């Protein structure tokens, strides 16, 4: 039991070191040797606790999804549209504050669970892609609730010809991710400086485009 506790402690220490590294120096800095050095262990130690480099990177990225999920939960107040607004702001604020972690979280080679089946060798630990599912499920739920709310109150558009909520949620997620990436590169600021005083008009436009404009 004590040996297992020590192993878990060292495993968490390696993840902690990786999180600190990606937050301060970006995702490109996450080499096994540097993570081991930051954790104060031998350069071969990570291989004893993570079957592949991808497995360690996935564990680090899962910390990011845990934090993002907490931010989503904190935005769960108000009408469905207000919650969607809070979720969108939380997503973009996180991407802006923690660009290195955000980049790591959405790396295709880490999210491609089938290509990295070894990530599942640690019992009870989900593959990275599975960490995104509760966030997307929440988005679909809010889109569904938003349509029901505005249909019932007669404050929104007709949804008769609207795509399924999951497709709308996917389009919204894609749009928000695109904004985050373009902001990180500085491209979006050149085309649309925008403002951070009050509600972001770009986010308002995105929500209106995918969810329909709400009558005042």
């Amino acid at each position: 039991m004590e040996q297992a506790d020590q192993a878990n402690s060292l495993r968490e220490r390696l993840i902690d070191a990786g999180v600190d590294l990606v937050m301060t120096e970006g995702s490109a800095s996450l080499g096994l040797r540097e993570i081991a050095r930051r954790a104060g262990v031998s350069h071969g130690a990570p291989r004893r606790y993570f079957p592949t480099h991808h497995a360690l990177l996935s564990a680090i990225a899962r910390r990011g999804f845990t934090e993002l999920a907490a931010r989503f939960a904190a935005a769960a107040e108000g009408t469905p549209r207000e919650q969607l607004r809070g979720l969108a702001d939380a997503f973009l604020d996180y991407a802006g504050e923690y660009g290195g972690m955000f980049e790591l979280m959405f790396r295709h080679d880490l999210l491609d669970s089938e290509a990295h089946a070894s990530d599942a060798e640690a019992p009870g630990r989900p593959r990275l892609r599975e960490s995104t599912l509760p966030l997307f499920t929440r988005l679909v739920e809010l889109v569904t609730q938003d349509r029901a709310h505005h249909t019932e109150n007669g404050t929104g558009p007709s949804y008769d010809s609207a795509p399924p909520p999951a497709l709308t949620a996917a389009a919204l997620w894609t749009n928000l991710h695109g904004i985050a990436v373009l902001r990180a590169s500085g491209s979006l600021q050149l085309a649309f400086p925008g403002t951070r005083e009050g509600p972001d008009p770009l986010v308002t436009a995105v929500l209106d485009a995918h969810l329909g404009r709400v009558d005042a």
Side-chain angles (χ1 to χ4, degrees):
M1 184 69 170
E2 182 178 349
Q3 188 174 16
D5 289 342
Q6 289 177 346
N8 285 332
S9 177
L10 181 51
R11 188 180 189 280
E12 292 304 308
R13 201 161 89 209
L14 288 164
I15 298 172
D16 289 341
V19 170
D20 180 66
L21 195 58
V22 73
M23 291 295 198
T24 56
E25 300 187 28
S27 62
S29 65
L30 291 172
L32 283 175
R33 284 180 176 271
E34 183 57 19
I35 293 174
R37 188 188 72 78
R38 289 285 186 105
V41 298
S42 69
H43 69 267
R47 294 292 190 186
R48 293 198 292 272
Y49 302 98
F50 296 93
T52 66
H53 189 195
H54 279 88
L56 176 52
L57 295 183
S58 293
I60 294 167
R62 273 194 290 274
R63 290 279 188 88
F65 280 113
T66 298
E67 171 62 23
L68 186 57
R71 293 191 178 208
F72 277 20
E77 294 183 1
T79 66
R81 181 65 61 97
E82 289 168 344
Q83 292 184 57
L84 283 162
R85 175 82 203 207
L87 183 151
D89 288 338
F91 185 85
L92 293 175
D93 286 346
Y94 185 85
E97 292 170 26
Y98 304 113
M101 178 63 85
F102 185 83
E103 180 182 352
L104 182 70
M105 289 160 61
F106 292 99
R107 267 180 49 173
H108 174 73
D109 60 328
L110 299 185
L111 290 168
D112 187 1
S113 299
E114 294 305 317
H116 301 292
S118 58
D119 287 359
E121 290 179 14
R125 295 188 174 98
R127 298 178 183 182
L128 183 60
R129 186 176 294 280
E130 294 168 4
S131 298
T132 70
L133 297 181
L135 304 183
F136 183 71
T137 297
R138 181 58 182 153
L139 187 60
V140 176
E141 289 173 351
L142 286 173
V143 169
T144 302
Q145 292 168 14
D146 181 68
R147 290 182 180 181
H149 176 81
H150 293 298
T151 297
E152 180 180 342
N153 292 282
T155 56
S158 169
Y159 298 108
D160 292 343
S161 60
L167 184 56
T168 296
L172 178 57
W173 182 283
T174 301
N175 207 158
L176 292 172
H177 193 94
I179 292 173
V181 171
L182 289 172
R183 279 184 176 166
S185 70
S187 301
L188 187 57
Q189 292 87 322
L190 292 175
F192 178 71
T195 177
R196 294 300 290 174
E197 295 182 4
D200 188 330
L202 186 56
V203 174
T204 300
V206 167
L207 293 174
D208 286 348
H210 292 294
L211 304 173
R213 190 177 207 121
V214 177
D215 295 338

